[in-house]
Amino acid sequence: MLLSEVTTLRLGGPARSVVEATTEDELIAAVRAADEAAEPVLLVGGGSNLVVSDAGFEGTVVLVRTRGIDVSADACSGAMVTVAAGESWDDFVAHAVAHDWEGVEALAGIPGSVGATPIQNVGAYGQEVADTIVSVRTWDRAEKRVRTLMFTDLGFGYRHSRFKDEPDRFVVLTVAFQLRFAGALSAPVRYAELARHLGVEVGARARLAQVRETVLALRRGKGMVLDPQDHDTWSAGSFFTNPILTADEAAKLPSGAPRFEQADGSVKTSAAWLIDHAGFEKGFGRGPVALSGKHVLALTNRGGATTADLLALAREVRDGVEREFGIRLVNEPVLVGGDRL
């Protein structure tokens, strides 16, 4: 199987072997067998955060296809919802909104599986999964046992978690979320762009369904909702994370650059602003790869591209931003198969 068949970039060479795991037992068994054979393992859920080498993957690819949403509810407070790693994230968000569960509505339209979300602490439009995750049940490959990691053990930060610090140790089996009942109202809207499109003040609430639909519309306008007919969505989403700078570093930015002060005294700025102002406009590209025509943070496959093509464009953008602003952008998707930026 070519890994281009299971990645949203539609890039990637052959896998040496492939196992499809539809149950938790099958998932654990597949990983354990590969570990015992000293075989490299690549877990693939929705394939939305992977950039796979043209040479493919010399190991076992485990397709995580587990399913299930279990609910323990208290009508006065909310619902504890435990979701299998292989469930579609966007389907889960739609399910939560349909049941009047508040807390993930602004994360609509994000591709990929539930099991991938705690790994990079997925976030958008003022929410992140760390706001609602209570625990993550895992297979610990080092200790060879099922192990539940509570919130305090997960080390969440901006697009970061303990799973990134120990990338080959844990296999996510299920994720437990604590979601509030709020009478079909959203959590307070934290993101100015979203608030503006909803017609509310930042910090106000809106209808859950309205928040979800508004987020989907915003994401579609940026090419961030998957559409097989739209090459602007043949991407891994945002390719670079927003830089976190020291106060001194932020002071060197041009006056118009976005600055978002963080609780620890650091300052977040916008990778998209840096890319755009370094001269890389929407649609900038080289042959079969280009920045999205809708959003400069997405690197896209225009059809017939290779991973080498994509990474060459990524290097050009990264190096151009560094020359212009002295800030080195960091890729958000995981690079698989030996390729490096």
mmCIF file of all heavy atoms in Angstrom, residues 223-267:
data_model
loop_
_atom_site.group_PDB
_atom_site.id
_atom_site.type_symbol
_atom_site.label_atom_id
_atom_site.label_comp_id
_atom_site.label_asym_id
_atom_site.label_seq_id
_atom_site.Cartn_x
_atom_site.Cartn_y
_atom_site.Cartn_z
ATOM 1 N N GLY A 223 -9.551 27.006 3.206
ATOM 2 C CA GLY A 223 -9.127 25.732 2.640
ATOM 3 C C GLY A 223 -8.769 24.699 3.685
ATOM 4 O O GLY A 223 -7.993 23.779 3.426
ATOM 5 N N MET A 224 -9.340 24.807 4.882
ATOM 6 C CA MET A 224 -8.977 23.938 5.997
ATOM 7 C C MET A 224 -10.044 22.887 6.315
ATOM 8 O O MET A 224 -10.009 22.285 7.392
ATOM 9 C CB MET A 224 -8.688 24.777 7.239
ATOM 10 C CG MET A 224 -7.463 25.683 7.100
ATOM 11 S SD MET A 224 -5.936 24.746 7.011
ATOM 12 C CE MET A 224 -4.714 26.070 7.094
ATOM 13 N N VAL A 225 -10.996 22.682 5.398
ATOM 14 C CA VAL A 225 -11.939 21.574 5.519
ATOM 15 C C VAL A 225 -11.723 20.691 4.303
ATOM 16 O O VAL A 225 -11.756 21.171 3.164
ATOM 17 C CB VAL A 225 -13.404 22.065 5.579
ATOM 18 C CG1 VAL A 225 -14.370 20.882 5.593
ATOM 19 C CG2 VAL A 225 -13.610 22.925 6.827
ATOM 20 N N LEU A 226 -11.499 19.411 4.514
ATOM 21 C CA LEU A 226 -11.130 18.516 3.422
ATOM 22 C C LEU A 226 -12.203 18.467 2.344
ATOM 23 O O LEU A 226 -13.386 18.343 2.627
ATOM 24 C CB LEU A 226 -10.882 17.099 3.965
ATOM 25 C CG LEU A 226 -9.702 16.940 4.929
ATOM 26 C CD1 LEU A 226 -9.613 15.498 5.396
ATOM 27 C CD2 LEU A 226 -8.396 17.386 4.284
ATOM 28 N N ASP A 227 -11.745 18.583 1.094
ATOM 29 C CA ASP A 227 -12.629 18.497 -0.066
ATOM 30 C C ASP A 227 -11.821 17.868 -1.199
ATOM 31 O O ASP A 227 -10.861 18.474 -1.697
ATOM 32 C CB ASP A 227 -13.094 19.903 -0.468
ATOM 33 C CG ASP A 227 -14.002 19.892 -1.695
ATOM 34 O OD1 ASP A 227 -14.129 18.844 -2.345
ATOM 35 O OD2 ASP A 227 -14.562 20.955 -2.018
ATOM 36 N N PRO A 228 -12.166 16.642 -1.611
ATOM 37 C CA PRO A 228 -11.383 15.954 -2.649
ATOM 38 C C PRO A 228 -11.257 16.739 -3.945
ATOM 39 O O PRO A 228 -10.302 16.542 -4.708
ATOM 40 C CB PRO A 228 -12.153 14.649 -2.862
ATOM 41 C CG PRO A 228 -12.945 14.444 -1.625
ATOM 42 C CD PRO A 228 -13.281 15.823 -1.125
ATOM 43 N N GLN A 229 -12.201 17.631 -4.206
ATOM 44 C CA GLN A 229 -12.192 18.401 -5.454
ATOM 45 C C GLN A 229 -11.384 19.696 -5.353
ATOM 46 O O GLN A 229 -11.185 20.376 -6.359
ATOM 47 C CB GLN A 229 -13.637 18.735 -5.865
ATOM 48 C CG GLN A 229 -14.552 17.523 -5.968
ATOM 49 C CD GLN A 229 -13.994 16.452 -6.883
ATOM 50 O OE1 GLN A 229 -13.551 16.746 -7.996
ATOM 51 N NE2 GLN A 229 -14.024 15.210 -6.434
ATOM 52 N N ASP A 230 -10.940 20.052 -4.159
ATOM 53 C CA ASP A 230 -10.283 21.332 -3.944
ATOM 54 C C ASP A 230 -8.835 21.099 -3.523
ATOM 55 O O ASP A 230 -8.561 20.700 -2.397
ATOM 56 C CB ASP A 230 -11.031 22.121 -2.862
ATOM 57 C CG ASP A 230 -10.443 23.510 -2.629
ATOM 58 O OD1 ASP A 230 -9.440 23.853 -3.270
ATOM 59 O OD2 ASP A 230 -11.008 24.243 -1.778
ATOM 60 N N HIS A 231 -7.889 21.387 -4.427
ATOM 61 C CA HIS A 231 -6.483 21.149 -4.115
ATOM 62 C C HIS A 231 -5.976 22.028 -2.985
ATOM 63 O O HIS A 231 -4.949 21.717 -2.375
ATOM 64 C CB HIS A 231 -5.633 21.354 -5.372
ATOM 65 C CG HIS A 231 -5.699 20.216 -6.337
ATOM 66 N ND1 HIS A 231 -4.920 19.085 -6.224
ATOM 67 C CD2 HIS A 231 -6.487 20.021 -7.420
ATOM 68 C CE1 HIS A 231 -5.200 18.254 -7.202
ATOM 69 N NE2 HIS A 231 -6.157 18.795 -7.946
ATOM 70 N N ASP A 232 -6.665 23.119 -2.686
ATOM 71 C CA ASP A 232 -6.265 23.929 -1.537
ATOM 72 C C ASP A 232 -6.424 23.172 -0.221
ATOM 73 O O ASP A 232 -5.882 23.597 0.808
ATOM 74 C CB ASP A 232 -7.078 25.233 -1.489
ATOM 75 C CG ASP A 232 -6.481 26.324 -2.359
ATOM 76 O OD1 ASP A 232 -5.256 26.288 -2.611
ATOM 77 O OD2 ASP A 232 -7.225 27.206 -2.802
ATOM 78 N N THR A 233 -7.163 22.079 -0.231
ATOM 79 C CA THR A 233 -7.334 21.283 0.987
ATOM 80 C C THR A 233 -6.459 20.027 0.983
ATOM 81 O O THR A 233 -6.497 19.259 1.937
ATOM 82 C CB THR A 233 -8.809 20.868 1.187
ATOM 83 O OG1 THR A 233 -9.159 19.826 0.266
ATOM 84 C CG2 THR A 233 -9.748 22.052 0.988
ATOM 85 N N TRP A 234 -5.672 19.829 -0.078
ATOM 86 C CA TRP A 234 -4.738 18.702 -0.112
ATOM 87 C C TRP A 234 -3.491 19.112 0.665
ATOM 88 O O TRP A 234 -2.453 19.428 0.104
ATOM 89 C CB TRP A 234 -4.389 18.348 -1.548
ATOM 90 C CG TRP A 234 -5.502 17.720 -2.344
ATOM 91 C CD1 TRP A 234 -6.841 17.885 -2.166
ATOM 92 C CD2 TRP A 234 -5.353 16.836 -3.461
ATOM 93 N NE1 TRP A 234 -7.546 17.163 -3.103
ATOM 94 C CE2 TRP A 234 -6.658 16.510 -3.912
ATOM 95 C CE3 TRP A 234 -4.260 16.311 -4.134
ATOM 96 C CZ2 TRP A 234 -6.891 15.662 -4.993
ATOM 97 C CZ3 TRP A 234 -4.478 15.471 -5.215
ATOM 98 C CH2 TRP A 234 -5.763 15.147 -5.634
ATOM 99 N N SER A 235 -3.629 19.120 1.972
ATOM 100 C CA SER A 235 -2.571 19.655 2.829
ATOM 101 C C SER A 235 -2.539 18.895 4.141
ATOM 102 O O SER A 235 -3.322 17.972 4.369
ATOM 103 C CB SER A 235 -2.824 21.146 3.097
ATOM 104 O OG SER A 235 -3.860 21.312 4.044
ATOM 105 N N ALA A 236 -1.630 19.316 5.007
ATOM 106 C CA ALA A 236 -1.587 18.809 6.384
ATOM 107 C C ALA A 236 -2.050 19.895 7.342
ATOM 108 O O ALA A 236 -1.627 19.953 8.488
ATOM 109 C CB ALA A 236 -0.186 18.335 6.737
ATOM 110 N N GLY A 237 -2.925 20.780 6.853
ATOM 111 C CA GLY A 237 -3.372 21.903 7.670
ATOM 112 C C GLY A 237 -2.258 22.919 7.816
ATOM 113 O O GLY A 237 -1.434 23.115 6.910
ATOM 114 N N SER A 238 -2.205 23.577 8.937
ATOM 115 C CA SER A 238 -1.140 24.568 9.178
ATOM 116 C C SER A 238 0.208 23.859 9.231
ATOM 117 O O SER A 238 0.421 22.989 10.072
ATOM 118 C CB SER A 238 -1.397 25.303 10.493
ATOM 119 O OG SER A 238 -2.610 26.023 10.428
ATOM 120 N N PHE A 239 1.118 24.254 8.335
ATOM 121 C CA PHE A 239 2.396 23.534 8.255
ATOM 122 C C PHE A 239 3.378 24.001 9.321
ATOM 123 O O PHE A 239 4.235 23.233 9.748
ATOM 124 C CB PHE A 239 3.014 23.706 6.866
ATOM 125 C CG PHE A 239 4.083 22.694 6.561
ATOM 126 C CD1 PHE A 239 3.762 21.476 5.996
ATOM 127 C CD2 PHE A 239 5.411 22.955 6.879
ATOM 128 C CE1 PHE A 239 4.740 20.528 5.748
ATOM 129 C CE2 PHE A 239 6.393 22.010 6.633
ATOM 130 C CZ PHE A 239 6.066 20.793 6.061
ATOM 131 N N PHE A 240 3.260 25.256 9.744
ATOM 132 C CA PHE A 240 4.170 25.798 10.762
ATOM 133 C C PHE A 240 3.375 26.260 11.984
ATOM 134 O O PHE A 240 2.265 26.781 11.849
ATOM 135 C CB PHE A 240 4.961 26.983 10.202
ATOM 136 C CG PHE A 240 5.856 26.639 9.044
ATOM 137 C CD1 PHE A 240 5.519 27.012 7.749
ATOM 138 C CD2 PHE A 240 7.041 25.947 9.245
ATOM 139 C CE1 PHE A 240 6.339 26.703 6.675
ATOM 140 C CE2 PHE A 240 7.872 25.629 8.173
ATOM 141 C CZ PHE A 240 7.510 26.002 6.885
ATOM 142 N N THR A 241 3.962 26.077 13.152
ATOM 143 C CA THR A 241 3.336 26.570 14.377
ATOM 144 C C THR A 241 3.624 28.056 14.542
ATOM 145 O O THR A 241 4.601 28.588 13.994
ATOM 146 C CB THR A 241 3.859 25.820 15.612
ATOM 147 O OG1 THR A 241 5.281 25.982 15.693
ATOM 148 C CG2 THR A 241 3.519 24.338 15.549
ATOM 149 N N ASN A 242 2.764 28.726 15.298
ATOM 150 C CA ASN A 242 3.004 30.132 15.610
ATOM 151 C C ASN A 242 4.190 30.242 16.563
ATOM 152 O O ASN A 242 4.218 29.577 17.604
ATOM 153 C CB ASN A 242 1.771 30.753 16.256
ATOM 154 C CG ASN A 242 0.634 30.910 15.269
ATOM 155 O OD1 ASN A 242 0.852 31.243 14.105
ATOM 156 N ND2 ASN A 242 -0.586 30.674 15.722
ATOM 157 N N PRO A 243 5.195 31.051 16.233
ATOM 158 C CA PRO A 243 6.384 31.148 17.095
ATOM 159 C C PRO A 243 6.063 31.730 18.473
ATOM 160 O O PRO A 243 5.269 32.666 18.599
ATOM 161 C CB PRO A 243 7.312 32.088 16.317
ATOM 162 C CG PRO A 243 6.839 32.007 14.902
ATOM 163 C CD PRO A 243 5.353 31.810 14.991
ATOM 164 N N ILE A 244 6.697 31.169 19.483
ATOM 165 C CA ILE A 244 6.651 31.704 20.841
ATOM 166 C C ILE A 244 7.991 32.381 21.107
ATOM 167 O O ILE A 244 9.043 31.742 21.065
ATOM 168 C CB ILE A 244 6.400 30.596 21.883
ATOM 169 C CG1 ILE A 244 5.123 29.813 21.548
ATOM 170 C CG2 ILE A 244 6.315 31.194 23.277
ATOM 171 C CD1 ILE A 244 3.858 30.625 21.637
ATOM 172 N N LEU A 245 7.947 33.676 21.368
ATOM 173 C CA LEU A 245 9.158 34.481 21.486
ATOM 174 C C LEU A 245 9.349 34.996 22.907
ATOM 175 O O LEU A 245 8.389 35.104 23.677
ATOM 176 C CB LEU A 245 9.062 35.687 20.539
ATOM 177 C CG LEU A 245 8.694 35.390 19.078
ATOM 178 C CD1 LEU A 245 8.524 36.707 18.311
ATOM 179 C CD2 LEU A 245 9.742 34.519 18.417
ATOM 180 N N THR A 246 10.587 35.321 23.223
ATOM 181 C CA THR A 246 10.826 36.062 24.460
ATOM 182 C C THR A 246 10.362 37.500 24.246
ATOM 183 O O THR A 246 10.166 37.954 23.105
ATOM 184 C CB THR A 246 12.316 36.061 24.828
ATOM 185 O OG1 THR A 246 13.040 36.796 23.836
ATOM 186 C CG2 THR A 246 12.860 34.632 24.911
ATOM 187 N N ALA A 247 10.222 38.240 25.329
ATOM 188 C CA ALA A 247 9.817 39.637 25.214
ATOM 189 C C ALA A 247 10.823 40.430 24.384
ATOM 190 O O ALA A 247 10.450 41.291 23.579
ATOM 191 C CB ALA A 247 9.663 40.243 26.601
ATOM 192 N N ASP A 248 12.125 40.128 24.551
ATOM 193 C CA ASP A 248 13.155 40.837 23.787
ATOM 194 C C ASP A 248 13.052 40.504 22.298
ATOM 195 O O ASP A 248 13.212 41.385 21.441
ATOM 196 C CB ASP A 248 14.546 40.479 24.301
ATOM 197 C CG ASP A 248 14.847 41.090 25.666
ATOM 198 O OD1 ASP A 248 14.140 42.054 26.052
ATOM 199 O OD2 ASP A 248 15.775 40.611 26.335
ATOM 200 N N GLU A 249 12.800 39.250 21.982
ATOM 201 C CA GLU A 249 12.649 38.852 20.580
ATOM 202 C C GLU A 249 11.427 39.519 19.964
ATOM 203 O O GLU A 249 11.460 40.000 18.825
ATOM 204 C CB GLU A 249 12.534 37.335 20.475
ATOM 205 C CG GLU A 249 13.823 36.586 20.770
ATOM 206 C CD GLU A 249 13.620 35.093 20.898
ATOM 207 O OE1 GLU A 249 12.493 34.655 21.237
ATOM 208 O OE2 GLU A 249 14.601 34.350 20.678
ATOM 209 N N ALA A 250 10.336 39.545 20.714
ATOM 210 C CA ALA A 250 9.110 40.156 20.207
ATOM 211 C C ALA A 250 9.289 41.645 19.958
ATOM 212 O O ALA A 250 8.700 42.215 19.033
ATOM 213 C CB ALA A 250 7.962 39.914 21.181
ATOM 214 N N ALA A 251 10.124 42.299 20.768
ATOM 215 C CA ALA A 251 10.349 43.738 20.613
ATOM 216 C C ALA A 251 11.035 44.074 19.290
ATOM 217 O O ALA A 251 10.944 45.203 18.808
ATOM 218 C CB ALA A 251 11.181 44.256 21.774
ATOM 219 N N LYS A 252 11.690 43.087 18.685
ATOM 220 C CA LYS A 252 12.390 43.297 17.409
ATOM 221 C C LYS A 252 11.480 43.123 16.203
ATOM 222 O O LYS A 252 11.900 43.397 15.075
ATOM 223 C CB LYS A 252 13.573 42.331 17.308
ATOM 224 C CG LYS A 252 14.627 42.536 18.393
ATOM 225 C CD LYS A 252 15.708 41.482 18.306
ATOM 226 C CE LYS A 252 16.713 41.626 19.447
ATOM 227 N NZ LYS A 252 17.748 40.544 19.398
ATOM 228 N N LEU A 253 10.243 42.665 16.425
ATOM 229 C CA LEU A 253 9.311 42.499 15.316
ATOM 230 C C LEU A 253 8.891 43.864 14.764
ATOM 231 O O LEU A 253 8.889 44.865 15.499
ATOM 232 C CB LEU A 253 8.068 41.748 15.789
ATOM 233 C CG LEU A 253 8.205 40.261 16.093
ATOM 234 C CD1 LEU A 253 6.934 39.752 16.777
ATOM 235 C CD2 LEU A 253 8.491 39.472 14.822
ATOM 236 N N PRO A 254 8.513 43.920 13.490
ATOM 237 C CA PRO A 254 7.957 45.170 12.959
ATOM 238 C C PRO A 254 6.726 45.592 13.748
ATOM 239 O O PRO A 254 6.032 44.764 14.361
ATOM 240 C CB PRO A 254 7.593 44.794 11.518
ATOM 241 C CG PRO A 254 8.446 43.620 11.192
ATOM 242 C CD PRO A 254 8.619 42.865 12.474
ATOM 243 N N SER A 255 6.416 46.855 13.718
ATOM 244 C CA SER A 255 5.334 47.388 14.544
ATOM 245 C C SER A 255 3.985 46.750 14.234
ATOM 246 O O SER A 255 3.141 46.623 15.112
ATOM 247 C CB SER A 255 5.246 48.907 14.368
ATOM 248 O OG SER A 255 5.006 49.236 13.013
ATOM 249 N N GLY A 256 3.769 46.327 13.007
ATOM 250 C CA GLY A 256 2.471 45.765 12.645
ATOM 251 C C GLY A 256 2.319 44.290 12.914
ATOM 252 O O GLY A 256 1.238 43.718 12.688
ATOM 253 N N ALA A 257 3.367 43.639 13.383
ATOM 254 C CA ALA A 257 3.308 42.195 13.600
ATOM 255 C C ALA A 257 2.408 41.866 14.788
ATOM 256 O O ALA A 257 2.461 42.545 15.820
ATOM 257 C CB ALA A 257 4.703 41.640 13.849
ATOM 258 N N PRO A 258 1.582 40.826 14.671
ATOM 259 C CA PRO A 258 0.729 40.437 15.809
ATOM 260 C C PRO A 258 1.561 40.027 17.012
ATOM 261 O O PRO A 258 2.613 39.394 16.872
ATOM 262 C CB PRO A 258 -0.058 39.247 15.255
ATOM 263 C CG PRO A 258 -0.003 39.385 13.770
ATOM 264 C CD PRO A 258 1.340 39.992 13.485
ATOM 265 N N ARG A 259 1.080 40.390 18.176
ATOM 266 C CA ARG A 259 1.724 40.012 19.429
ATOM 267 C C ARG A 259 0.645 39.582 20.407
ATOM 268 O O ARG A 259 -0.285 40.335 20.678
ATOM 269 C CB ARG A 259 2.503 41.187 20.028
ATOM 270 C CG ARG A 259 3.713 41.639 19.216
ATOM 271 C CD ARG A 259 4.255 42.954 19.767
ATOM 272 N NE ARG A 259 5.508 43.359 19.174
ATOM 273 C CZ ARG A 259 5.630 43.962 17.997
ATOM 274 N NH1 ARG A 259 4.533 44.229 17.288
ATOM 275 N NH2 ARG A 259 6.817 44.306 17.534
ATOM 276 N N PHE A 260 0.782 38.360 20.937
ATOM 277 C CA PHE A 260 -0.181 37.834 21.907
ATOM 278 C C PHE A 260 0.596 37.441 23.153
ATOM 279 O O PHE A 260 1.323 36.444 23.151
ATOM 280 C CB PHE A 260 -0.934 36.631 21.325
ATOM 281 C CG PHE A 260 -1.591 36.902 19.995
ATOM 282 C CD1 PHE A 260 -0.979 36.501 18.820
ATOM 283 C CD2 PHE A 260 -2.799 37.575 19.931
ATOM 284 C CE1 PHE A 260 -1.577 36.752 17.582
ATOM 285 C CE2 PHE A 260 -3.400 37.841 18.718
ATOM 286 C CZ PHE A 260 -2.786 37.426 17.533
ATOM 287 N N GLU A 261 0.451 38.245 24.195
ATOM 288 C CA GLU A 261 1.200 37.984 25.421
ATOM 289 C C GLU A 261 0.676 36.726 26.109
ATOM 290 O O GLU A 261 -0.526 36.509 26.222
ATOM 291 C CB GLU A 261 1.097 39.187 26.358
ATOM 292 C CG GLU A 261 1.774 40.436 25.810
ATOM 293 C CD GLU A 261 1.772 41.585 26.798
ATOM 294 O OE1 GLU A 261 1.297 41.378 27.939
ATOM 295 O OE2 GLU A 261 2.250 42.677 26.436
ATOM 296 N N GLN A 262 1.609 35.895 26.582
ATOM 297 C CA GLN A 262 1.282 34.645 27.245
ATOM 298 C C GLN A 262 1.458 34.784 28.757
ATOM 299 O O GLN A 262 2.134 35.696 29.240
ATOM 300 C CB GLN A 262 2.176 33.521 26.706
ATOM 301 C CG GLN A 262 2.151 33.379 25.186
ATOM 302 C CD GLN A 262 0.781 33.036 24.646
ATOM 303 O OE1 GLN A 262 0.245 31.966 24.920
ATOM 304 N NE2 GLN A 262 0.195 33.947 23.872
ATOM 305 N N ALA A 263 0.850 33.862 29.479
ATOM 306 C CA ALA A 263 0.859 33.951 30.948
ATOM 307 C C ALA A 263 2.265 33.880 31.532
ATOM 308 O O ALA A 263 2.530 34.440 32.606
ATOM 309 C CB ALA A 263 -0.009 32.836 31.531
ATOM 310 N N ASP A 264 3.185 33.206 30.828
ATOM 311 C CA ASP A 264 4.540 33.054 31.360
ATOM 312 C C ASP A 264 5.469 34.197 30.956
ATOM 313 O O ASP A 264 6.676 34.148 31.203
ATOM 314 C CB ASP A 264 5.138 31.717 30.918
ATOM 315 C CG ASP A 264 5.282 31.603 29.397
ATOM 316 O OD1 ASP A 264 4.906 32.562 28.688
ATOM 317 O OD2 ASP A 264 5.756 30.550 28.932
ATOM 318 N N GLY A 265 4.926 35.232 30.319
ATOM 319 C CA GLY A 265 5.734 36.374 29.918
ATOM 320 C C GLY A 265 6.252 36.304 28.493
ATOM 321 O O GLY A 265 6.801 37.289 27.979
ATOM 322 N N SER A 266 6.089 35.152 27.850
ATOM 323 C CA SER A 266 6.486 35.030 26.450
ATOM 324 C C SER A 266 5.434 35.690 25.559
ATOM 325 O O SER A 266 4.360 36.094 26.030
ATOM 326 C CB SER A 266 6.679 33.558 26.071
ATOM 327 O OG SER A 266 5.451 32.846 26.205
ATOM 328 N N VAL A 267 5.737 35.776 24.283
ATOM 329 C CA VAL A 267 4.846 36.438 23.327
ATOM 330 C C VAL A 267 4.682 35.537 22.109
ATOM 331 O O VAL A 267 5.676 35.125 21.499
ATOM 332 C CB VAL A 267 5.400 37.810 22.896
ATOM 333 C CG1 VAL A 267 4.463 38.475 21.886
ATOM 334 C CG2 VAL A 267 5.619 38.715 24.104
#
